[in-house]
Amino acid sequence: MARETKALSEKLNFKKLKRLYIFALITIAITVLLSQLLIQHNIKSQLNDSRLINISGKQRMLSQKLAKEILILNSSSNKLNFNQEIAAVKKTLALWKFTHHALEKGNDSLKFPKEKSPEMIALYKDMQPNVAIIIKSTKKYLENSQILLKSPKDQQEVQTILDNIAIFLSKMNRIVEQYEHEALEKVTRQQNIEYLILSFTLLVLFLEFLFIFKPTNKKIELLISKLLTSEKRAIKLARDTEIISAIKENSVKELKSLNYAMENTLLYCRISPHGKIIHMGDKFAKLLQYNPSFDADKSFSKALTAVEKEQLDIDRIIADKQRSGWQGELKTTNRNGEPLWLDMSMIPVRIKKEELELLVICFNISIRKKAEIEIERLNRENTLEKINQHKIISSRIVENQENEQNRIAREIHDGIGQMLTGLKFSLESINLEDKEKSAQKIEYLKKLSLDIIKGVRTATFNLMPPELSDHGIVSSIAKLTLELTKLTGKNIQFYNKTEFDQRLDSLIEINIYRLTQEAINNAIKYAESSHIIVQLSHSNKILSITVDDNGKGFDVSSVEKKRNSESGMGLLFMKERVRYINGRAFINSIPGEGTRITFNIPI
């Protein structure tokens, strides 16, 4: 195989191939370089040509400007601007002369060429008499204008200037056309040269492909084919040896990986039926701080714990379960006196007919056990806190019921009761014989009766509004806001945004009514608000009631922490009541800006 490869390498003759490649690359590089130099020269030449054409056009503009300024000067009668107009004509004439001279003779600063084509020289020579006449006539006209002499000859000079400028413009047009013609010839010539260089480059590439790349490619393909054939033979000869070696190596790797995984990831140990340690994994040994070099007594129970009672329990489990195995959670105490919880499995393994071992596999569940204990403690504390809250709520509910009953009793006794007593005395004092006084007392009794009826209605409205049972929650809340507006003088508005008109369960309706009543009363009593807006909206599943006020607001988090205060208990009662009907309450308040309370109740 080596001889064949050497023979093919000699056939390829890499030195000759290297020389051919270098020659081809140098040829292509030279053609590209020449092309770039030619392109750059052409671009520079085109820039100069465009500048010449541009300045030639400007020269025509300057001649027209000169004629215009002379006409303005000739027709001017304002002596104040006379000197300025003469100066402008002189400035334009000087610039026109300088530009014409630069175009004709060349100029290094403006990069105008000094050498010109015969056609261009002839055109400039033909133009020269007209230029000389324009300069001479303009200077003579300016001299006469400065000494303030007006004569028919001046008009002749002006006409001479204008006639020659017209001739100058036509001849200048021919010069510009000649410049454009010469520039086009240069571009065409450059284009032809570029095509020639491109054709030469393509020819070089074709010759390289034909005489270098193609033969070399065939020889390299032949060499690669021979090498592949030799490689297949070598692979076939070594295949059996490699397969056996790979199987052996994989087996060793698997054993090493298994041993490493068991040592560093599992808490495992091999013990005898008498509880003596045969081998303990590295991770388990680090956890138990067990070192077989220093621990002469290789007892598994003593390695697990230093507490004698726990050691006896472990020895008893090993003695009882050495044949059937055991699985369970085991609490021990490590050498630092800290509790250690292990999820342990003891698996009996028979090594020989008469030899038995126990494979112990453990999982450290100390963190989980600590978490479970902590969760139990928190649950107990939470349960106690909820019981205490319910006790406080129950006592406050009873207290509120007593206060409400006392308030109703006072309203009936102090209000309705006194009006009824007054009604009784007024009826007894009527003297039918005195018709005038009787009529006055009857009118008074009518008014008193109306007040009694109003007081009875107010008391019954506070207990249970008739609109709630007759017409539902929407009508009762509308009536509530209207009555409270009249009684308190506050601006309380109610909006049924989604035109809700359904009837709900009576228990849900009364709780919604009481929640809304409590929210409005809090806004009146504590928030010191002047405007209160009650909005009702609903979807397919939720009825939402929002109470907004423009009062002084409060810090919700600080109030909720004060469970023993009146405001804190009020929020707690409100949330308990809405939770009772499976709803949720959301309280948002900003001190100094106002409060929004939202109740969401499933329907």
Side-chain angles (χ1 to χ4, degrees), residues 55-85:
I55 296 299
S56 300
K58 185 178 179 183
Q59 185 69 357
R60 290 183 296 180
M61 180 272 294
L62 287 173
S63 63
Q64 292 173 346
K65 183 180 178 184
L66 180 64
K68 178 181 176 182
E69 289 176 349
I70 290 173
L71 289 173
I72 293 172
L73 179 64
N74 186 50
S75 62
S76 176
S77 60
N78 189 350
K79 294 182 179 181
L80 295 176
N81 298 329
F82 194 71
N83 292 329
Q84 294 180 357
E85 292 170 355

Side-chain angles (χ1 to χ4, degrees), residues 92-152:
T92 304
L93 179 64
L95 180 60
W96 182 75
K97 287 171 60 181
F98 172 77
T99 305
H100 183 77
H101 185 269
L103 289 171
E104 183 180 5
K105 303 299 182 182
N107 187 289
D108 293 334
S109 62
L110 295 177
K111 297 182 180 180
F112 289 170
K114 294 181 180 179
E115 296 180 359
K116 293 181 175 58
S117 63
E119 292 84 358
M120 195 66 69
I121 294 172
L123 289 173
Y124 274 109
K125 187 176 181 181
D126 182 52
M127 183 191 290
Q128 188 59 36
N130 302 104
V131 173
I133 292 171
I134 292 171
I135 295 171
K136 180 180 178 181
S137 299
T138 303
K139 287 182 178 180
K140 188 173 182 181
Y141 177 75
L142 291 175
E143 289 174 0
N144 294 335
S145 299
Q146 285 177 341
I147 60 176
L148 301 176
L149 293 175
K150 293 278 187 175
S151 65

Side-chain angles (χ1 to χ4, degrees), residues 16-254:
K16 183 180 178 181
L17 180 64
K18 183 178 179 181
R19 288 196 297 270
L20 291 173
Y21 266 111
I22 292 173
F23 173 75
L25 291 174
I26 291 173
T27 305
I28 293 173
I30 290 172
T31 55
V32 172
L33 183 62
L34 289 174
S35 176
Q36 285 297 317
L37 290 174
L38 189 60
I39 289 171
Q40 293 298 324
H41 175 73
N42 185 49
I43 291 172
K44 185 176 180 181
S45 177
Q46 287 180 0
L47 289 174
N48 292 333
D49 292 342
S50 64
R51 189 182 294 108
L52 279 171
I53 295 170
N54 185 30
I55 296 299
S56 300
K58 185 178 179 183
Q59 185 69 357
R60 290 183 296 180
M61 180 272 294
L62 287 173
S63 63
Q64 292 173 346
K65 183 180 178 184
L66 180 64
K68 178 181 176 182
E69 289 176 349
I70 290 173
L71 289 173
I72 293 172
L73 179 64
N74 186 50
S75 62
S76 176
S77 60
N78 189 350
K79 294 182 179 181
L80 295 176
N81 298 329
F82 194 71
N83 292 329
Q84 294 180 357
E85 292 170 355
I86 290 176
V89 172
K90 287 181 177 180
K91 183 178 178 181
T92 304
L93 179 64
L95 180 60
W96 182 75
K97 287 171 60 181
F98 172 77
T99 305
H100 183 77
H101 185 269
L103 289 171
E104 183 180 5
K105 303 299 182 182
N107 187 289
D108 293 334
S109 62
L110 295 177
K111 297 182 180 180
F112 289 170
K114 294 181 180 179
E115 296 180 359
K116 293 181 175 58
S117 63
E119 292 84 358
M120 195 66 69
I121 294 172
L123 289 173
Y124 274 109
K125 187 176 181 181
D126 182 52
M127 183 191 290
Q128 188 59 36
N130 302 104
V131 173
I133 292 171
I134 292 171
I135 295 171
K136 180 180 178 181
S137 299
T138 303
K139 287 182 178 180
K140 188 173 182 181
Y141 177 75
L142 291 175
E143 289 174 0
N144 294 335
S145 299
Q146 285 177 341
I147 60 176
L148 301 176
L149 293 175
K150 293 278 187 175
S151 65
K153 290 183 178 182
D154 290 340
Q155 298 299 326
Q156 293 177 0
E157 295 291 343
V158 170
Q159 189 60 41
T160 301
I161 293 169
L162 295 177
D163 293 341
N164 282 274
I165 284 176
I167 297 170
F168 173 82
L169 287 173
S170 62
K171 292 180 177 181
M172 198 68 200
N173 288 336
R174 291 198 297 272
I175 289 174
V176 172
E177 290 174 357
Q178 182 63 28
Y179 275 131
E180 291 177 350
H181 176 70
E182 291 179 1
L184 182 59
E185 286 182 347
K186 289 180 182 179
V187 172
T188 304
R189 185 167 59 253
Q190 175 63 25
Q191 190 176 21
N192 294 332
I193 294 172
E194 284 292 326
Y195 285 144
L196 181 63
I197 293 174
L198 178 61
S199 301
F200 179 73
T201 305
L202 293 175
L203 177 63
V204 170
L205 290 174
F206 176 73
L207 293 175
E208 286 179 0
F209 172 77
L210 194 62
F211 296 104
I212 298 175
F213 295 115
K214 190 174 180 181
T216 305
N217 182 55
K218 289 182 178 179
K219 292 178 181 180
I220 290 174
E221 285 180 354
L222 180 61
L223 176 61
I224 292 173
S225 176
K226 294 288 185 181
L227 290 174
L228 289 174
T229 304
S230 301
E231 183 183 7
K232 288 179 181 179
R233 285 199 210 118
I235 291 172
K236 187 175 181 181
L237 291 173
R239 183 174 297 166
D240 294 337
T241 306
E242 288 181 356
I243 291 173
I244 295 171
S245 176
I247 292 172
K248 181 181 177 181
E249 186 177 353
N250 288 334
S251 299
V252 173
K253 286 182 179 179
E254 288 176 1

Side-chain angles (χ1 to χ4, degrees), residues 318-383:
I318 293 173
D320 294 342
K321 305 294 182 181
Q322 59 179 281
R323 293 190 177 278
S324 62
W326 180 82
Q327 194 277 331
E329 294 181 356
L330 187 67
K331 180 184 179 183
T332 63
T333 305
N334 63 16
R335 303 194 179 199
N336 297 327
E338 298 174 349
L340 176 66
W341 284 89
L342 297 173
D343 186 353
M344 183 180 293
S345 297
M346 291 185 182
I347 306 168
V349 179
R350 188 169 297 278
I351 305 301
K352 296 178 182 178
K353 288 185 178 181
E354 300 298 330
E355 191 175 346
L356 186 68
E357 289 183 5
L358 285 174
L359 178 62
V360 181
I361 300 175
C362 300
F363 296 96
N364 187 0
I365 58 172
S366 301
I367 296 175
R368 190 188 78 189
K369 279 294 182 180
K370 288 180 181 179
E372 289 176 355
I373 293 170
E374 181 66 17
I375 289 170
E376 289 178 2
R377 185 185 66 79
L378 293 174
N379 285 337
R380 286 196 301 270
E381 291 180 356
N382 192 26
T383 303

Side-chain angles (χ1 to χ4, degrees), residues 52 68 274 547 580:
L52 279 171
K68 178 181 176 182
H274 303 292
V547 180
Y580 177 69

Side-chain angles (χ1 to χ4, degrees), residues 466-521:
E467 284 80 1
L468 188 60
S469 58
D470 295 340
H471 304 290
I473 190 65
V474 177
S475 179
S476 60
I477 293 177
K479 180 70 173 178
L480 174 66
T481 55
L482 185 62
E483 291 294 329
L484 289 176
T485 299
K486 293 178 182 179
L487 292 173
T488 61
K490 307 287 186 180
N491 186 4
I492 306 173
Q493 300 292 329
F494 171 68
Y495 299 100
N496 184 2
K497 295 174 67 176
T498 56
E499 300 297 331
F500 180 75
D501 59 355
Q502 301 177 27
R503 292 301 305 268
L504 304 175
D505 184 78
S506 59
L507 181 62
I508 295 176
E509 287 187 340
I510 188 61
N511 277 284
I512 293 173
Y513 179 81
R514 293 302 182 198
L515 286 167
T516 308
Q517 186 181 37
E518 178 71 15
I520 297 173
N521 287 333

